[in-house]
Coordinates of all heavy atoms in Angstrom, one line a residue:
M1 N -25.2 -1.6 -4.7 CA -25.3 -0.2 -5.2 C -24.6 0.7 -4.2 O -24.6 0.5 -3.0 CB -26.8 0.2 -5.2 CG -27.7 -0.6 -6.2 SD -29.3 0.1 -6.1 CE -29.7 0.1 -7.9
S2 N -23.9 1.6 -4.8 CA -23.3 2.7 -3.9 C -24.4 3.6 -3.5 O -25.6 3.5 -3.9 CB -22.2 3.4 -4.7 OG -22.8 4.2 -5.7
L3 N -24.1 4.5 -2.6 CA -25.0 5.5 -2.1 C -24.8 6.8 -2.8 O -23.7 7.0 -3.4 CB -24.9 5.6 -0.6 CG -25.1 4.3 0.2 CD1 -24.8 4.5 1.6 CD2 -26.6 3.9 0.0
L4 N -25.7 7.7 -2.7 CA -25.5 9.1 -3.2 C -26.2 10.1 -2.2 O -27.0 9.7 -1.4 CB -26.1 9.3 -4.5 CG -27.6 9.2 -4.7 CD1 -28.3 10.6 -4.5 CD2 -27.9 8.8 -6.2
I5 N -25.7 11.3 -2.2 CA -26.2 12.3 -1.3 C -27.0 13.3 -2.2 O -26.5 13.8 -3.2 CB -25.0 13.1 -0.6 CG1 -24.2 12.1 0.3 CG2 -25.5 14.2 0.2 CD1 -23.0 12.6 0.9
T6 N -28.2 13.5 -1.8 CA -29.1 14.4 -2.5 C -28.9 15.8 -2.2 O -28.1 16.2 -1.3 CB -30.6 14.1 -2.2 OG1 -30.9 14.5 -0.9 CG2 -30.9 12.6 -2.4
D7 N -29.5 16.7 -3.0 CA -29.3 18.1 -2.8 C -30.0 18.6 -1.5 O -29.9 19.8 -1.2 CB -29.8 18.9 -4.0 CG -31.2 18.7 -4.4 OD1 -31.9 18.0 -3.6 OD2 -31.6 19.2 -5.4
E8 N -30.6 17.8 -0.7 CA -31.1 18.1 0.6 C -30.0 18.2 1.6 O -30.3 18.6 2.8 CB -32.2 17.2 1.0 CG -33.4 17.2 0.1 CD -34.5 16.1 0.4 OE1 -34.3 15.4 1.4 OE2 -35.4 16.0 -0.4
C9 N -28.8 17.8 1.3 CA -27.7 17.9 2.2 C -27.5 19.3 2.8 O -27.6 20.3 2.0 CB -26.4 17.5 1.4 SG -24.9 17.6 2.4
I10 N -27.3 19.3 4.1 CA -27.1 20.6 4.8 C -25.6 20.9 5.1 O -25.3 21.8 5.9 CB -28.0 20.7 6.0 CG1 -27.7 19.6 7.0 CG2 -29.5 20.7 5.6 CD1 -28.4 19.7 8.3
N11 N -24.7 20.0 4.6 CA -23.3 20.2 4.9 C -23.0 20.2 6.3 O -22.2 21.0 6.8 CB -22.8 21.5 4.2 CG -22.7 21.3 2.7 OD1 -22.3 20.3 2.1 ND2 -23.3 22.3 2.0
C12 N -23.5 19.3 7.1 CA -23.3 19.3 8.5 C -22.0 18.6 8.9 O -21.7 18.7 10.1 CB -24.5 18.6 9.2 SG -24.7 16.9 8.8
D13 N -21.4 18.0 8.0 CA -20.1 17.3 8.2 C -20.1 16.1 9.0 O -19.0 15.6 9.4 CB -19.1 18.3 8.9 CG -18.9 19.6 8.1 OD1 -18.8 19.5 6.8 OD2 -18.8 20.7 8.7
V14 N -21.2 15.5 9.3 CA -21.2 14.3 10.2 C -21.0 13.0 9.4 O -20.5 12.0 10.0 CB -22.4 14.1 11.1 CG1 -22.6 15.3 12.0 CG2 -23.7 14.0 10.2
C15 N -21.3 13.0 8.1 CA -21.1 11.7 7.3 C -19.7 11.4 6.9 O -19.3 10.2 7.0 CB -22.0 11.7 6.1 SG -21.6 13.0 4.9
E16 N -18.9 12.4 6.6 CA -17.6 12.2 6.0 C -16.7 11.4 7.0 O -16.1 10.4 6.5 CB -16.9 13.5 5.7 CG -15.6 13.3 5.1 CD -14.9 14.7 4.8 OE1 -15.2 15.7 5.4 OE2 -14.0 14.7 4.0
P17 N -16.6 11.7 8.3 CA -15.7 10.9 9.1 C -16.2 9.5 9.4 O -15.4 8.7 9.9 CB -15.6 11.7 10.4 CG -16.8 12.6 10.4 CD -17.1 12.9 8.9
E18 N -17.5 9.2 9.2 CA -18.0 7.9 9.4 C -17.7 6.9 8.4 O -17.9 5.7 8.6 CB -19.6 8.0 9.6 CG -20.0 8.8 10.8 CD -19.5 8.3 12.1 OE1 -19.5 7.0 12.3 OE2 -19.1 9.1 13.0
C19 N -17.3 7.3 7.2 CA -17.1 6.4 6.0 C -15.8 5.7 6.2 O -14.7 6.3 6.1 CB -17.2 7.2 4.7 SG -16.9 6.1 3.3
P20 N -15.8 4.4 6.3 CA -14.6 3.6 6.5 C -13.7 3.5 5.2 O -12.6 3.2 5.3 CB -15.1 2.2 6.9 CG -16.4 2.1 6.3 CD -17.0 3.5 6.4
N21 N -14.3 3.8 4.1 CA -13.6 3.8 2.8 C -13.2 5.1 2.3 O -12.7 5.2 1.1 CB -14.5 3.1 1.7 CG -14.8 1.6 2.1 OD1 -14.0 1.0 2.7 ND2 -16.0 1.2 1.8
N22 N -13.4 6.2 3.0 CA -13.1 7.5 2.6 C -13.8 7.9 1.2 O -13.2 8.5 0.4 CB -11.6 7.7 2.5 CG -11.0 7.6 3.8 OD1 -11.4 8.2 4.8 ND2 -9.9 6.9 3.9
A23 N -15.0 7.4 1.1 CA -15.8 7.6 -0.2 C -16.5 8.9 -0.2 O -17.0 9.4 -1.2 CB -16.8 6.5 -0.4
I24 N -16.6 9.6 1.0 CA -17.4 10.9 1.1 C -16.4 12.0 1.1 O -15.4 12.0 1.9 CB -18.3 10.8 2.3 CG1 -19.3 9.7 2.2 CG2 -19.0 12.2 2.4 CD1 -20.1 9.5 3.4
A25 N -16.7 13.0 0.3 CA -15.8 14.2 0.3 C -16.7 15.4 0.0 O -17.8 15.3 -0.6 CB -14.7 14.1 -0.7
Q26 N -16.2 16.6 0.4 CA -17.0 17.8 0.1 C -16.9 18.1 -1.4 O -15.8 18.1 -2.0 CB -16.3 19.0 0.9 CG -17.0 20.3 0.6 CD -18.5 20.4 1.1 OE1 -18.7 20.0 2.3 NE2 -19.4 20.8 0.3
G27 N -18.1 18.3 -2.0 CA -18.1 18.6 -3.4 C -18.2 20.1 -3.6 O -17.9 20.9 -2.6
E28 N -18.6 20.6 -4.7 CA -18.6 22.0 -5.0 C -19.7 22.7 -4.1 O -19.5 23.8 -3.6 CB -18.9 22.3 -6.4 CG -17.8 22.1 -7.3 CD -18.0 22.5 -8.8 OE1 -18.8 23.5 -9.0 OE2 -17.5 21.9 -9.7
E29 N -20.8 22.0 -3.9 CA -21.9 22.6 -3.1 C -22.3 21.8 -1.9 O -22.7 22.3 -0.9 CB -23.1 22.9 -4.0 CG -22.8 24.0 -5.0 CD -24.1 24.4 -5.7 OE1 -25.2 24.3 -5.2 OE2 -23.9 24.9 -6.9
I30 N -22.3 20.5 -2.1 CA -22.7 19.5 -1.0 C -21.7 18.4 -1.0 O -20.8 18.3 -1.9 CB -24.1 19.0 -1.2 CG1 -24.2 18.2 -2.5 CG2 -25.1 20.1 -1.1 CD1 -25.5 17.5 -2.7
Y31 N -21.8 17.5 0.0 CA -20.9 16.4 0.1 C -21.3 15.4 -1.0 O -22.5 15.4 -1.5 CB -21.1 15.7 1.5 CG -20.2 16.3 2.5 CD1 -20.7 17.4 3.3 CD2 -18.9 15.9 2.7 CE1 -19.9 18.0 4.2 CE2 -18.1 16.5 3.6 CZ -18.6 17.6 4.4 OH -17.8 18.2 5.3
E32 N -20.3 14.6 -1.5 CA -20.5 13.7 -2.6 C -19.9 12.3 -2.2 O -19.0 12.3 -1.4 CB -19.9 14.2 -3.8 CG -20.4 15.5 -4.3 CD -19.7 16.0 -5.6 OE1 -18.6 15.5 -5.9 OE2 -20.2 17.0 -6.1
I33 N -20.5 11.3 -2.8 CA -20.0 9.9 -2.5 C -19.3 9.4 -3.8 O -20.0 9.4 -4.9 CB -21.1 9.0 -2.0 CG1 -21.6 9.5 -0.7 CG2 -20.6 7.6 -1.9 CD1 -22.8 8.7 -0.1
D34 N -18.1 8.9 -3.7 CA -17.4 8.3 -4.9 C -18.0 6.9 -5.0 O -17.7 6.0 -4.1 CB -15.9 8.3 -4.6 CG -15.1 7.7 -5.8 OD1 -15.7 7.0 -6.6 OD2 -13.9 8.0 -5.8
P35 N -18.7 6.6 -6.1 CA -19.3 5.2 -6.2 C -18.2 4.2 -6.4 O -18.5 3.0 -6.1 CB -20.1 5.4 -7.5 CG -19.6 6.5 -8.2 CD -19.0 7.5 -7.2
N36 N -17.0 4.5 -6.7 CA -15.9 3.5 -6.8 C -15.4 3.1 -5.5 O -14.7 2.1 -5.3 CB -14.8 4.1 -7.7 CG -15.2 4.3 -9.1 OD1 -15.9 3.5 -9.7 ND2 -14.9 5.5 -9.6
L37 N -15.7 3.9 -4.4 CA -15.2 3.6 -3.1 C -16.3 3.2 -2.1 O -16.1 2.6 -1.1 CB -14.5 4.8 -2.5 CG -13.2 5.2 -3.2 CD1 -12.6 6.5 -2.6 CD2 -12.2 4.1 -3.1
C38 N -17.6 3.5 -2.5 CA -18.7 3.2 -1.6 C -19.1 1.7 -1.7 O -19.3 1.2 -2.7 CB -19.9 4.0 -1.9 SG -21.3 3.7 -0.9
T39 N -19.1 1.0 -0.5 CA -19.5 -0.4 -0.4 C -20.7 -0.5 0.5 O -21.1 -1.6 0.9 CB -18.4 -1.2 0.2 OG1 -18.1 -0.8 1.5 CG2 -17.2 -1.2 -0.7
Q40 N -21.4 0.6 0.8 CA -22.5 0.6 1.8 C -22.0 0.0 3.1 O -22.8 -0.6 3.8 CB -23.7 -0.1 1.2 CG -24.4 0.6 0.1 CD -25.7 -0.1 -0.3 OE1 -26.5 -0.5 0.6 NE2 -25.9 -0.3 -1.5
C41 N -20.8 0.2 3.4 CA -20.1 -0.3 4.6 C -20.0 -1.8 4.7 O -19.7 -2.4 5.7 CB -20.8 0.3 5.9 SG -20.4 2.0 6.1
V42 N -20.3 -2.5 3.6 CA -20.2 -4.0 3.5 C -18.7 -4.3 3.9 O -17.8 -3.7 3.4 CB -20.5 -4.5 2.1 CG1 -20.1 -6.0 2.0 CG2 -22.0 -4.4 1.9
G43 N -18.5 -5.3 4.8 CA -17.2 -5.6 5.2 C -16.8 -4.9 6.5 O -15.9 -5.4 7.2
H44 N -17.4 -3.8 6.7 CA -17.1 -3.0 7.9 C -18.2 -3.0 9.0 O -17.9 -3.3 10.1 CB -16.8 -1.5 7.5 CG -15.6 -1.3 6.7 ND1 -14.3 -1.4 7.1 CD2 -15.5 -1.1 5.3 CE1 -13.5 -1.1 6.1 NE2 -14.2 -0.9 5.0
Y45 N -19.4 -2.8 8.5 CA -20.6 -2.7 9.4 C -21.8 -3.3 8.8 O -21.8 -3.6 7.6 CB -20.9 -1.2 9.7 CG -19.8 -0.4 10.3 CD1 -19.0 0.5 9.5 CD2 -19.4 -0.5 11.6 CE1 -18.0 1.2 10.0 CE2 -18.4 0.2 12.2 CZ -17.7 1.1 11.4 OH -16.6 1.8 11.9
D46 N -22.8 -3.5 9.6 CA -24.0 -4.2 9.1 C -24.9 -3.2 8.3 O -25.7 -3.6 7.5 CB -24.8 -4.7 10.2 CG -24.2 -5.9 10.9 OD1 -23.4 -6.6 10.2 OD2 -24.5 -6.2 12.1
E47 N -24.7 -1.9 8.6 CA -25.5 -0.9 7.9 C -24.6 0.3 7.5 O -23.6 0.6 8.2 CB -26.6 -0.3 8.8 CG -27.6 -1.4 9.2 CD -28.7 -0.9 10.2 OE1 -28.7 0.3 10.5 OE2 -29.5 -1.7 10.6
P48 N -25.0 1.0 6.4 CA -24.2 2.2 6.1 C -24.2 3.2 7.2 O -25.2 3.7 7.6 CB -24.9 2.7 4.8 CG -25.7 1.6 4.3 CD -26.1 0.8 5.5
Q49 N -23.0 3.5 7.6 CA -22.8 4.4 8.8 C -23.2 5.9 8.4 O -23.8 6.6 9.3 CB -21.4 4.4 9.3 CG -21.0 3.0 9.8 CD -21.9 2.6 10.9 OE1 -21.8 3.1 12.0 NE2 -22.7 1.6 10.7
C50 N -23.0 6.3 7.2 CA -23.4 7.7 6.8 C -24.9 7.8 6.9 O -25.4 8.9 7.4 CB -22.9 8.0 5.4 SG -23.5 6.9 4.1
Q51 N -25.7 6.8 6.5 CA -27.1 6.9 6.6 C -27.5 7.0 8.1 O -28.5 7.6 8.4 CB -27.8 5.7 6.0 CG -27.8 5.8 4.5 CD -28.5 4.6 3.8 OE1 -28.4 3.5 4.3 NE2 -29.1 4.9 2.7
Q52 N -26.8 6.3 9.0 CA -27.2 6.2 10.4 C -27.0 7.6 11.1 O -27.8 7.9 12.0 CB -26.3 5.2 11.1 CG -26.5 3.8 10.6 CD -27.9 3.3 10.8 OE1 -28.5 3.4 11.8 NE2 -28.5 2.8 9.7
V53 N -26.0 8.4 10.6 CA -25.7 9.6 11.3 C -26.4 10.9 10.6 O -26.4 11.9 11.2 CB -24.2 9.9 11.5 CG1 -23.6 8.8 12.4 CG2 -23.5 10.0 10.1
C54 N -26.8 10.7 9.4 CA -27.4 11.8 8.6 C -28.6 12.4 9.3 O -29.6 11.6 9.4 CB -27.7 11.4 7.2 SG -28.3 12.8 6.2
P55 N -28.6 13.6 9.7 CA -29.8 14.2 10.4 C -31.0 14.5 9.4 O -32.1 14.8 9.9 CB -29.3 15.5 11.0 CG -28.2 15.9 10.1 CD -27.5 14.6 9.6
V56 N -30.7 14.6 8.1 CA -31.8 14.9 7.2 C -32.2 13.8 6.2 O -33.0 14.0 5.3 CB -31.5 16.2 6.4 CG1 -31.5 17.4 7.3 CG2 -30.2 16.1 5.6
D57 N -31.6 12.6 6.4 CA -31.9 11.5 5.6 C -31.8 11.8 4.1 O -32.7 11.4 3.3 CB -33.3 10.9 5.9 CG -33.5 10.4 7.3 OD1 -32.5 9.8 7.8 OD2 -34.5 10.6 7.9
C58 N -30.7 12.3 3.7 CA -30.5 12.7 2.3 C -29.5 11.7 1.6 O -29.1 12.0 0.5 CB -30.0 14.1 2.2 SG -28.3 14.4 2.9
I59 N -29.2 10.6 2.2 CA -28.3 9.6 1.6 C -29.1 8.4 1.2 O -29.7 7.7 2.0 CB -27.2 9.2 2.6 CG1 -26.4 10.5 3.0 CG2 -26.2 8.2 1.9 CD1 -25.4 10.3 4.1
L60 N -29.2 8.2 -0.1 CA -30.0 7.2 -0.7 C -29.2 6.2 -1.6 O -28.0 6.5 -1.9 CB -31.1 7.9 -1.6 CG -31.9 9.0 -1.0 CD1 -32.8 9.6 -2.0 CD2 -32.7 8.5 0.2
I61 N -29.8 5.1 -2.0 CA -29.2 4.2 -2.9 C -29.1 4.9 -4.2 O -30.0 5.5 -4.7 CB -29.9 2.9 -2.9 CG1 -29.8 2.1 -1.6 CG2 -29.5 2.0 -4.1 CD1 -30.5 0.9 -1.5
D62 N -27.9 4.7 -4.9 CA -27.7 5.4 -6.2 C -28.1 4.4 -7.3 O -27.4 3.4 -7.6 CB -26.2 5.7 -6.3 CG -25.9 6.4 -7.6 OD1 -26.8 6.6 -8.5 OD2 -24.7 6.9 -7.7
P63 N -29.3 4.6 -7.9 CA -29.7 3.7 -9.0 C -28.8 3.7 -10.2 O -28.9 2.7 -11.0 CB -31.1 4.2 -9.3 CG -31.1 5.7 -9.0 CD -30.1 5.8 -7.8
A64 N -27.9 4.6 -10.3 CA -27.0 4.7 -11.5 C -25.8 3.7 -11.3 O -25.1 3.5 -12.2 CB -26.5 6.1 -11.7
H65 N -25.7 3.1 -10.1 CA -24.6 2.2 -9.8 C -25.0 1.0 -9.1 O -24.8 0.7 -8.0 CB -23.5 2.9 -9.0 CG -22.9 4.1 -9.6 ND1 -23.3 5.4 -9.5 CD2 -21.9 4.2 -10.5 CE1 -22.6 6.2 -10.2 NE2 -21.7 5.5 -10.9
P66 N -25.8 0.1 -9.9 CA -26.3 -1.1 -9.3 C -25.2 -2.1 -9.0 O -24.3 -2.3 -9.8 CB -27.3 -1.7 -10.3 CG -26.7 -1.1 -11.6 CD -26.1 0.2 -11.3
E67 N -25.2 -2.7 -7.8 CA -24.3 -3.7 -7.4 C -24.9 -4.7 -6.4 O -25.8 -4.3 -5.6 CB -23.1 -3.1 -6.7 CG -22.2 -2.2 -7.6 CD -21.2 -1.4 -6.8 OE1 -21.5 -0.6 -6.0 OE2 -20.0 -1.7 -7.0
T68 N -24.6 -5.9 -6.6 CA -25.1 -7.0 -5.7 C -24.3 -6.9 -4.4 O -23.2 -6.4 -4.3 CB -25.0 -8.4 -6.3 OG1 -23.6 -8.7 -6.4 CG2 -25.7 -8.4 -7.6
P69 N -24.8 -7.5 -3.3 CA -24.1 -7.6 -2.1 C -22.7 -8.3 -2.3 O -21.7 -7.9 -1.7 CB -24.9 -8.4 -1.1 CG -26.3 -8.2 -1.6 CD -26.2 -8.0 -3.1
E70 N -22.7 -9.3 -3.2 CA -21.4 -10.0 -3.5 C -20.4 -9.0 -4.2 O -19.2 -9.0 -3.9 CB -21.7 -11.2 -4.4 CG -22.4 -12.3 -3.7 CD -23.9 -12.0 -3.6 OE1 -24.5 -11.2 -4.4 OE2 -24.6 -12.7 -2.7
E71 N -20.9 -8.2 -5.1 CA -20.0 -7.2 -5.8 C -19.5 -6.1 -4.8 O -18.4 -5.7 -4.8 CB -20.8 -6.5 -6.9 CG -21.1 -7.4 -8.1 CD -22.0 -6.8 -9.1 OE1 -23.0 -6.2 -8.8 OE2 -21.7 -7.0 -10.3
L72 N -20.4 -5.7 -3.8 CA -20.0 -4.8 -2.8 C -18.9 -5.4 -1.9 O -17.9 -4.7 -1.6 CB -21.2 -4.3 -2.0 CG -22.2 -3.5 -2.7 CD1 -23.4 -3.3 -1.8 CD2 -21.6 -2.1 -3.0
H73 N -19.0 -6.7 -1.6 CA -18.0 -7.3 -0.8 C -16.7 -7.5 -1.5 O -15.6 -7.2 -1.0 CB -18.5 -8.7 -0.3 CG -17.6 -9.4 0.6 ND1 -17.4 -9.0 1.9 CD2 -16.7 -10.5 0.4 CE1 -16.4 -9.8 2.4 NE2 -16.0 -10.7 1.5
Q74 N -16.8 -7.8 -2.8 CA -15.6 -7.9 -3.6 C -14.9 -6.5 -3.7 O -13.7 -6.4 -3.6 CB -15.9 -8.4 -5.0 CG -14.7 -8.6 -5.9 CD -13.7 -9.6 -5.3 OE1 -14.1 -10.6 -4.7 NE2 -12.4 -9.3 -5.4
K75 N -15.7 -5.4 -3.8 CA -15.1 -4.1 -3.9 C -14.4 -3.8 -2.5 O -13.3 -3.2 -2.5 CB -16.2 -3.0 -4.2 CG -15.6 -1.7 -4.4 CD -16.6 -0.5 -4.6 CE -17.9 -0.8 -5.1 NZ -18.7 0.5 -5.3
Y76 N -15.1 -4.2 -1.4 CA -14.5 -4.0 -0.1 C -13.1 -4.7 0.0 O -12.1 -4.1 0.5 CB -15.4 -4.5 1.0 CG -14.8 -5.0 2.2 CD1 -14.4 -4.0 3.2 CD2 -14.5 -6.3 2.5 CE1 -13.7 -4.4 4.4 CE2 -13.9 -6.7 3.7 CZ -13.5 -5.7 4.6 OH -12.9 -6.1 5.8
L77 N -13.0 -5.9 -0.5 CA -11.8 -6.7 -0.5 C -10.7 -6.0 -1.3 O -9.5 -5.9 -0.8 CB -12.0 -8.1 -1.0 CG -12.9 -9.0 -0.2 CD1 -13.1 -10.3 -0.9 CD2 -12.3 -9.2 1.2
V78 N -11.0 -5.4 -2.4 CA -10.0 -4.7 -3.2 C -9.6 -3.4 -2.6 O -8.4 -3.1 -2.5 CB -10.6 -4.4 -4.7 CG1 -9.7 -3.5 -5.4 CG2 -10.8 -5.7 -5.4
I79 N -10.6 -2.7 -2.1 CA -10.2 -1.4 -1.4 C -9.3 -1.6 -0.2 O -8.4 -0.8 0.0 CB -11.5 -0.6 -1.0 CG1 -12.3 -0.2 -2.3 CG2 -11.2 0.6 -0.1 CD1 -13.7 0.3 -2.0
T80 N -9.6 -2.6 0.6 CA -8.9 -2.8 1.8 C -7.6 -3.6 1.6 O -6.8 -3.9 2.5 CB -9.7 -3.5 2.9 OG1 -10.2 -4.8 2.3 CG2 -10.9 -2.6 3.3
G81 N -7.4 -4.1 0.3 CA -6.2 -4.9 0.0 C -6.3 -6.3 0.5 O -5.2 -7.0 0.7
K82 N -7.4 -6.8 0.8 CA -7.6 -8.2 1.2 C -8.0 -9.1 0.1 O -8.2 -10.3 0.4 CB -8.7 -8.2 2.3 CG -8.4 -7.4 3.5 CD -9.5 -7.4 4.6 CE -9.1 -6.6 5.8 NZ -10.1 -6.6 6.8
A83 N -8.0 -8.6 -1.1 CA -8.4 -9.5 -2.3 C -7.2 -10.3 -2.7 O -6.0 -10.0 -2.6 CB -8.8 -8.6 -3.4

């Protein structure tokens, strides 16, 4: 599953630079995560880096985009050109 940022986001700017896939960008009101680019850091790190740095814990699993660990790894391979 990709991750999503809830409306509790305070726009602190710490999550965006931590994303190795450039999946996080400023939206109209809060930061947003592109589910097509989010791999929960699979292939890069053991844990999602955005969740690690978020001071308000507003980054959750997105139930609208279910993916297995294998699917996340395959997405990582495609995004990084290693497929």
Side-chain angles (χ1 to χ4, degrees):
M1 298 180 135
S2 66
L3 300 172
L4 67 86
I5 298 174
T6 69
D7 60 4
E8 295 174 8
C9 176
I10 59 172
N11 291 312
C12 66
D13 304 320
V14 298
C15 62
E16 182 182 24
E18 296 299 320
C19 181
N21 296 327
N22 296 313
I24 301 174
Q26 180 65 49
E28 288 187 31
E29 295 190 24
I30 61 172
Y31 278 89
E32 298 175 350
I33 297 177
D34 181 341
N36 296 314
L37 295 176
C38 179
T39 62
Q40 291 187 42
C41 289
V42 168
H44 295 284
Y45 302 103
D46 292 334
E47 297 180 4
Q49 297 302 289
C50 59
Q51 286 181 323
Q52 298 299 309
V53 298
C54 180
V56 293
D57 295 325
C58 67
I59 303 173
L60 309 174
I61 291 178
D62 184 352
H65 296 95
E67 294 171 292
T68 65
E70 293 79 20
E71 289 171 320
L72 291 171
H73 183 72
Q74 184 61 38
K75 189 186 332 182
Y76 155 77
L77 294 174
V78 170
I79 290 169
T80 60
K82 297 178 181 181

